[in-house]
Amino acid sequence: MHEMEKKMKRMAARTTSLKIGKRRLCHGKCSRYSLPDDLLVQILSQLPVKSTLRFRCVSKEWLALLSDRGPYSIRYLCPTMCGFFYRRSHLAGSWQYAAIHPFKDHRFDLHKLISHLPDHRNLNLLDSCHGLLLLGCREDRSYKSMIVCNPFRNDEINWVTIHMNTAVKQRPLQRKFISAKLVSHRASRSFKCLLFFEDYRLNELGAESNFWCTVLYSNRGQSHHIYQIPPHVPPPFDLYDVAFDNNYPKVCVIQENKKDHLISSALNERRNGRVRSLMGVSRGLAHFAFCDEHELHIWILERENGKRVWKPTHNYSSQPLIKQHKESLRHHKHEGNQRVYSILPLGFHPDLDIIFLQIEWRIYSLHLDSGSMDEVAGERGANPESEMFLFHPITMDPSTSLGERREYHMRLPVMDP
C-alpha cells in the first residue's frame, strides 16, 4: 500500500509539472516570440489570404497580430481585393468606387489617382490586376496608346507607356477592338498585356468573323505573340440548351507550373433566352458562372490525371436571390410585381469564395459557401434591358513597381483586304 501511494504521488507530480510547463509555454514570451514578428510576417505573407485568416484562431496573440487594426494587418500582409470601380457602359460618366470588407474605410477617386499621368483626361480604365491598372487613351474608335501604372505609388517607376503602331490607328472598319486584359503576379515587376479583336470578312455566304488576341510581354521588350480564338467553341461541360446574349468568347488567364495559360470558352446559339456568363480566376483556379431565368451555376476548372476538368460546385435558385433584392428595396414606391429581374454575374473575388452579382442596378456579394448575399454598391431604379455595369476589382499594393523600362511598342498584324 505504501508503494502504491508513492507511485500515485510521482504520477501526480509529473502531471503537475507538465501542466506548469504547458502554462509557461502558452503564457510565456516564447509562445509569441518563438519566431520574430518580422520573420513570422514574411512566412504568412506567402500564404493565401484565406489560410492567413484562419490562423487568427491560433491564439489571442495571433488574433491581435493579424487583426484589421493590428501592426501586421491582414490588409497589408497579403494584398488582395480592397474594392472595385464600376460604371454604366453606355454612359460617359465617371467611375464609382465601392469598398469591401475589411477595407470599408477606403475612398478612392480614379481621376485623382491618375491625374499625374500624361493625357489623363482621355484615359479610360480597361482592366486591373494585383495593384496595377491598364488605361487606354482613345483616338476616334481605337486606342493610340495605353498606360500600365500603380496608382498608389508616386515615384518615377510607377507607370509605363505602350505605344500602338500605325496599323492599329488606321485599322480597317472590319476590325473591332473587343477588350483588353492585364496579367501580373505578386512580387514581380513583369506584366503581360492582352488585346482582343474581332475581324470581319465578307464572302458569298455572308460575314465571317475571326476572334484573336495579341500579347505584349514587358520582360521581352517589343516581342508579341498572336493567339487565334475560335468564335464558337462548345464548353467542355454539359450545359442547358440556352443561348448567351453576348456573342464574344469568355476568357481568363490562369497560372500553372509558373506558366500562364489562356482559357477560352463560348456557347453556340441555340434558342432565345436571357442567359449571362462570366469567366474569372479565384484562388488560382478558373471559374465559370452562368445564370438563366431559374438558376445560377458555378463551375471550377481543376486538374485530374494531368487533364483539366470542369466540375460543378454551386447551384443557386434565382428566386431567393431576387427576393432578397426586392426586400432590400421594398420601400421603393415604384416596385411592381410585373418587373422582370435578371441576375448578372460581374466578377469573382480573387482570394475568397465570393461572386459579385448585379440585380437591376444594385451590386451584391454572394458568399458561395454560406449562400448569404450582401448589398455592396450600385444605383436605384429599374433595368429593363438587363444592361451590365463595367466592373474592375482593385488591389492596393504600394510595393508593386514596374522596373526601369518605360516605353513599349505593340505591333499588330495588318489585316488582308
Side-chain angles (χ1 to χ4, degrees), residues 41-50 52-53 66 72-83 97 100-103 106 108 128-132 150 152-153 184-188 281 283-284 349-352 393-401:
V41 167
Q42 291 181 23
I43 295 173
L44 293 177
S45 64
Q46 303 301 316
L47 300 176
V49 172
K50 197 169 184 178
T52 309
L53 287 171
L66 300 176
Y72 301 103
S73 168
I74 184 64
R75 303 192 296 177
Y76 310 111
L77 273 178
C78 305
T80 184
M81 181 179 177
C82 58
Y97 178 77
I100 61 175
H101 181 78
F103 303 91
H106 287 177
F108 296 131
S128 59
C129 185
H130 288 159
L132 300 179
N150 182 346
F152 304 104
R153 292 189 63 143
S184 65
H185 301 286
R186 290 165 179 160
S188 174
V281 179
R283 295 173 290 115
H349 193 291
D351 299 297
L352 303 177
I394 299 298
T395 299
M396 185 179 67
D397 187 2
S399 65
T400 301
S401 64

Side-chain angles (χ1 to χ4, degrees), residues 198-201 207-211 231-232:
E198 180 181 13
D199 288 347
Y200 294 92
R201 300 176 186 276
E208 177 185 355
S209 61
N210 177 41
F211 295 91
H232 298 292

Side-chain angles (χ1 to χ4, degrees), residues 312-323:
T313 58
H314 299 88
N315 287 334
Y316 298 94
S317 176
S318 300
Q319 288 307 313
L321 302 179
I322 293 174
K323 183 179 179 181

